[in-house]
Amino acid sequence: MKHYLEKLIAGVHLTQEEMQDATRYCLTDVATNSEIASLLTALQAKGETAEEVAGIVDVIRAESTFRTSPILNAMDNCGTGGDKSYSFNVSTTSAFVIAGAGITVAKHGNRSITSKSGSADVLEALGISLNFTKDQVDELLHENKIAFLFAPNVHNALKPFTRVRKELGIATVFNVIGPLTNPVELDSQLLGVYRKDLLPMLAESLKRLGRRRALVLTGAGSVDEATLAGENHLILLEDGELTSFTLRPEDVGLPYFSKDEIRGGDAKRNAEILLSVLNGKKGAYYDTVLLNAGLGIFTNGKAETIIEGIDMARESIESGAALSKLENLITYSKKIPSGVI
């Protein structure tokens, strides 16, 4: 570890293999809090590379007891959080719409950190269990096309990092890698991040992690979802190639809505918004979900264009398919004894 710390302090990047080695060491009983803290702060000060991020993620996923064999054409749509926009749960609502379009969604998420309601908070408010076992997740992915993986349950080995991060109280690489650590073998991924400067690094990380297709974006107004407030910045990963482009509401036939018009509230309020969208109530929330779900469907490859993806998202809602995915998840959750993990 000393060798790796010296390299980082000198501004030298670690290879993916070196980062894997350092991360494995941090998860042992031998590693001290000061060593883990030094690694995280040195990485942050230097600036993490795609190789280093992929190295950390490789180990985190390998240590998860929820690691699965490949599931045909599965995807995730998740933002890094941290934008402090206090929007409603856009990606969680969109996940049901994507699943309603026939795509398998392994939704990875956590409780709120910088907002009033994280994905876990709003799903819990809707009556969805956070305690699905690996076998239950597998069953739901095959039968319902959507399941929720609560990050603390699927990443038990990360307690040494969690403890140190709380003590540090500063942003580290863990503030952006959460969506990458989904233990399900994903084919494609839609990833939002509020910092535009991180788009190339995260896109390259997804390439190194083996995604067939991926779309990384920063929404207008520097948020971790696509918005209808102006120009969104995106990078598409397809067949190993990265392509940058921008997207405005008028490009896909949707109206303009400011960030303030998609603000949410606590978990109960955001659950109400989610249900209103899946029940087809038109407005800023609905159109924002159309955009993000449409991007997800396009990212997966089921739609050849973003506009076609938006049309499929609209059909998923209007046909009741998206709402059905939610209702199935609630019904399934009622069968699970409280507290069972």
Side-chain angles (χ1 to χ4, degrees):
M1 178 61 84
K2 181 181 178 182
H3 172 64
Y4 296 147
L5 291 175
E6 288 175 343
K7 288 184 70 172
L8 292 171
I9 291 169
V12 179
H13 303 316
L14 300 185
T15 66
Q16 190 164 334
E17 292 73 22
E18 288 175 327
M19 197 68 246
Q20 289 170 348
D21 189 39
T23 305
R24 288 192 197 97
Y25 174 78
C26 290
L27 298 180
T28 67
D29 293 334
V30 180
T32 65
N33 285 358
S34 60
E35 286 177 313
I36 298 172
S38 296
L39 178 68
L40 294 178
T41 53
L43 274 172
Q44 175 73 6
K46 177 186 69 65
E48 301 89 349
T49 66
E51 276 197 79
E52 290 165 342
V53 166
I56 296 172
V57 171
D58 280 338
V59 174
I60 292 173
R61 295 185 68 247
E63 290 291 327
S64 175
T65 56
F66 277 68
R67 185 74 181 265
T68 67
S69 56
I71 295 172
L72 184 63
N73 212 21
M75 74 170 297
D76 190 7
N77 69 317
C78 185
T80 61
D83 60 18
K84 298 181 180 179
S85 66
Y86 304 108
S87 62
F88 75 108
N89 296 96
V90 179
S91 66
T92 305
T93 311
S94 300
F96 291 105
V97 180
I98 295 169
I103 297 168
T104 302
V105 182
K107 189 72 176 79
H108 183 253
N110 209 335
R111 292 194 182 279
S112 168
I113 297 175
T114 57
S115 65
K116 294 181 180 179
S117 173
S119 56
D121 301 304
V122 72
L123 292 175
E124 191 174 49
L126 288 163
I128 293 172
S129 174
L130 304 184
N131 297 327
F132 294 132
T133 65
K134 180 180 182 296
D135 288 343
Q136 289 165 341
V137 166
D138 188 66
E139 181 181 359
L140 284 165
L141 291 176
H142 283 91
E143 300 297 328
N144 191 47
K145 293 290 186 181
I146 186 169
F148 182 68
L149 293 95
F150 185 40
N153 288 354
V154 302
H155 298 304
N156 283 320
L158 290 184
K159 290 178 181 178
F161 281 112
T162 303
R163 180 177 63 248
V164 170
R165 288 179 65 206
K166 287 181 179 179
E167 292 177 358
L168 281 174
I170 61 172
T172 70
V173 65
F174 279 87
N175 288 75
V176 296
I177 66 171
L180 303 179
T181 63
N182 191 323
V184 172
E185 289 291 339
L186 302 175
D187 181 74
S188 56
Q189 186 160 4
L190 175 64
L191 170 60
V193 60
Y194 71 97
R195 285 177 51 189
K196 186 173 68 172
D197 61 300
L198 292 178
L199 290 177
M201 185 274 286
L202 288 172
E204 181 63 32
S205 298
L206 286 167
K207 178 180 176 180
R208 287 181 170 275
L209 292 167
R211 301 292 187 269
R212 177 183 60 84
R213 279 175 64 93
L215 192 62
V216 185
L217 65 87
T218 297
S222 298
V223 298
D224 71 337
E225 313 281 1
T227 76
L228 296 168
E231 190 171 70
N232 300 276
H233 295 266
L234 310 94
I235 298 180
L236 174 67
L237 165 64
E238 183 177 25
D239 298 326
E241 299 295 325
L242 301 178
T243 304
S244 299
F245 64 101
T246 58
L247 186 72
R248 301 181 65 85
E250 57 265 32
D251 297 332
V252 290
L254 290 173
Y256 175 95
F257 287 107
S258 70
K259 286 200 304 181
D260 288 343
E261 292 176 275
I262 58 169
R263 286 177 72 94
D266 59 15
K268 181 181 177 181
R269 172 57 183 149
N270 283 6
E272 293 171 350
I273 294 171
L274 185 153
L275 286 170
S276 75
V277 171
L278 297 191
N279 277 291
K281 183 179 180 180
K282 306 299 189 292
Y285 300 129
Y286 180 94
D287 283 343
T288 299
V289 169
L290 284 185
L291 176 60
N292 282 273
L295 286 168
I297 295 167
F298 167 73
T299 300
N300 176 265
K302 192 176 180 76
E304 293 186 3
T305 66
I306 296 170
I307 291 176
E308 184 182 353
I310 290 171
D311 289 339
M312 290 182 179
R314 185 179 290 106
E315 173 61 21
S316 174
I317 296 173
E318 298 304 322
S319 68
L323 182 61
S324 176
K325 298 302 179 184
L326 170 63
E327 290 172 341
N328 290 344
L329 207 51
I330 294 171
T331 299
Y332 191 97
S333 296
K334 291 177 180 178
K335 303 175 185 177
I336 302 173
S338 177
V340 175
I341 298 177

